Amino acid sequence: MTQPGNFLSAQNGNVGTMFAIVCLPLLLASGAAMDLVRINNARTTLQAAADSAALAGAVSEKTDKTTLDKVVKDYLLANNAADVLTSIDTMKQWTDQAKSTFNVKIEGKLQTSLMSLAGISFVDIGVQSQVKLGTQAIEIVLVLDNTGSMRGSKIANLKAAAKEFVDIIDRSKTATSFAKIGVVPFAEYVNVGPGNSTASWIETGRVPRLWAGCVGSRNNPDDATSGFSNTSKYPPLTFGNCGKEVLPLTADFSTVRGKISSMVAGGSTYIPTGLLWGWNLVDNAAPFTEGMTKAQMAAKQGRKAIILMTDGENTISPVYPQHNGTDVNLSNQKLTELCSRVKSDDIDVYTVSFMVPSQTIKDLLTNCASSPAKYFDADTGTELFAAFQRIGESLSTVRLTQ
């Protein structure tokens, strides 16, 4: 009979031997699971490091191998690539001219722990990242709510988010890419600039002696179309809140940042006027002609985009040419009509609601966006910042493809 306390020394049925035989596979399985977690974590870290290095190399505008090697190596090391590997076997970059891609690869070995009991002391880990190069072009207009409800922290959060967006587009530029950004601050009206008092698209006969650049709406249905005609010009106004002057498309991103910094909140909300002038800025035809034609954009594998941001619903409506009516349903219908026409003009539309309580405007903005994924609902300044980051990354002129 087996004595109590002598389980491991028991010989009846070879219980001790059987226990050891059963425990070893369990121990190996447990160790393998732990090692697999370490391997997956290491691979995730390496992939993130390779992605960062590839993007950095692609936008560095460097061409000689030695300099590019250093750029890539610095980014890999700064993003902990060496820390998660026991040894590094390969760390390289190359450009595939035929495919117009910039590539980064890192390979190495990770020492295992309990898997070594099964004779597996090291595992090979390798990741690769690829960035598409080429002659991409992007033209973007930021249509930003500058109404009175944006005063205080809201306008500060918007400025920070919009500048981050500009920084992302700026960093993504390459020697062969083309990027321009315009800005439309809007309230109940839009300020097209007093310097355009004699422009062919302004009703020059109605321009007052002291005109600050404020314009109202052309008669329906022209107020939902871009451009102008000799019988449909923009009426100058001497009243109403127009905010800061629009900034036409420009490749000078310092000027864009300056325009964003200068924004001041005030006035009521009429969203269609902001979207209309965003369309006018990104379109190649007058009133503003800084944009590329559709043929030029296609040749450069590019696209045009408008980012429409608001913190509230329409509060006024057009009583042509003024916006001092109270028919909010008319304003919402006008916004829907404009959204449809802008999208049909091959322009990507991104929409952002910021601390908006109204489900009506959220639904309008969702439908206005080119797809549901291009609508962002932000309830905090942090979420607004993240929304502009995500939009910026999606519009970058270089992007990860692998």
Side-chain angles (χ1 to χ4, degrees), residues 15 97 102 107 126 182 201 212 231 235 274 312:
V15 175
Q97 298 291 353
F102 181 79
E107 296 173 321
W201 41 272
T231 59

CSV table of all heavy atoms in Angstrom, one decimal, residues 15 97 102 107 126 182 201 212 231 235 274 312:
chain,number,residue,atom,x,y,z
A,15,VAL,N,3.4,5.7,-10.9
A,15,VAL,CA,2.6,7.0,-10.8
A,15,VAL,C,3.6,8.2,-11.0
A,15,VAL,O,3.3,9.2,-11.7
A,15,VAL,CB,1.9,7.1,-9.5
A,15,VAL,CG1,1.2,8.5,-9.4
A,15,VAL,CG2,0.8,6.0,-9.4
A,97,GLN,N,11.7,51.3,-58.8
A,97,GLN,CA,11.3,52.3,-59.8
A,97,GLN,C,10.2,51.8,-60.7
A,97,GLN,O,9.3,52.6,-61.1
A,97,GLN,CB,12.5,52.7,-60.7
A,97,GLN,CG,13.7,53.3,-59.9
A,97,GLN,CD,13.4,54.7,-59.4
A,97,GLN,OE1,12.4,55.3,-59.7
A,97,GLN,NE2,14.3,55.2,-58.5
A,102,PHE,N,8.6,52.8,-52.3
A,102,PHE,CA,9.8,52.8,-51.4
A,102,PHE,C,9.5,51.7,-50.4
A,102,PHE,O,8.4,51.6,-49.8
A,102,PHE,CB,9.9,54.2,-50.7
A,102,PHE,CG,11.1,54.3,-49.8
A,102,PHE,CD1,12.3,54.5,-50.4
A,102,PHE,CD2,10.9,54.2,-48.5
A,102,PHE,CE1,13.4,54.6,-49.5
A,102,PHE,CE2,12.0,54.3,-47.6
A,102,PHE,CZ,13.3,54.5,-48.1
A,107,GLU,N,14.8,42.2,-40.5
A,107,GLU,CA,14.7,40.8,-40.1
A,107,GLU,C,15.7,40.6,-39.0
A,107,GLU,O,16.8,41.2,-38.9
A,107,GLU,CB,15.1,39.9,-41.3
A,107,GLU,CG,14.2,40.0,-42.5
A,107,GLU,CD,14.7,39.2,-43.7
A,107,GLU,OE1,15.9,39.3,-43.9
A,107,GLU,OE2,13.8,38.6,-44.3
A,126,GLY,N,10.6,38.7,-39.3
A,126,GLY,CA,10.9,39.7,-40.4
A,126,GLY,C,9.6,40.4,-40.8
A,126,GLY,O,8.5,39.8,-40.9
A,182,GLY,N,-6.7,75.3,-49.2
A,182,GLY,CA,-7.4,76.5,-49.0
A,182,GLY,C,-8.2,76.5,-47.8
A,182,GLY,O,-8.5,75.4,-47.2
A,201,TRP,N,-16.8,88.4,-61.4
A,201,TRP,CA,-17.9,87.6,-60.8
A,201,TRP,C,-18.7,88.3,-59.7
A,201,TRP,O,-19.5,87.8,-59.0
A,201,TRP,CB,-17.3,86.3,-60.3
A,201,TRP,CG,-16.0,86.4,-59.6
A,201,TRP,CD1,-14.8,86.3,-60.2
A,201,TRP,CD2,-15.8,86.5,-58.2
A,201,TRP,NE1,-13.8,86.4,-59.2
A,201,TRP,CE2,-14.4,86.6,-58.0
A,201,TRP,CE3,-16.6,86.6,-57.1
A,201,TRP,CZ2,-13.8,86.7,-56.8
A,201,TRP,CZ3,-16.0,86.8,-55.8
A,201,TRP,CH2,-14.6,86.8,-55.7
A,212,ALA,N,-16.1,95.3,-47.1
A,212,ALA,CA,-15.1,94.5,-46.4
A,212,ALA,C,-14.9,93.1,-47.1
A,212,ALA,O,-14.1,92.3,-46.6
A,212,ALA,CB,-15.5,94.3,-45.0
A,231,THR,N,-25.2,86.8,-65.9
A,231,THR,CA,-26.5,87.1,-65.3
A,231,THR,C,-26.7,86.6,-63.9
A,231,THR,O,-27.7,86.6,-63.3
A,231,THR,CB,-27.6,86.5,-66.2
A,231,THR,OG1,-27.4,85.1,-66.3
A,231,THR,CG2,-27.6,87.2,-67.6
A,235,PRO,N,-23.6,89.0,-55.0
A,235,PRO,CA,-24.0,90.3,-54.5
A,235,PRO,C,-23.1,90.7,-53.3
A,235,PRO,O,-23.1,90.0,-52.3
A,235,PRO,CB,-25.4,90.1,-54.1
A,235,PRO,CG,-25.6,88.7,-53.8
A,235,PRO,CD,-24.6,87.9,-54.7
A,274,GLY,N,-20.8,78.2,-46.6
A,274,GLY,CA,-19.4,77.8,-46.5
A,274,GLY,C,-19.1,76.7,-47.5
A,274,GLY,O,-18.0,76.7,-48.1
A,312,GLY,N,-22.8,73.0,-35.1
A,312,GLY,CA,-24.2,73.2,-34.9
A,312,GLY,C,-25.0,73.1,-36.2
A,312,GLY,O,-24.5,73.1,-37.3
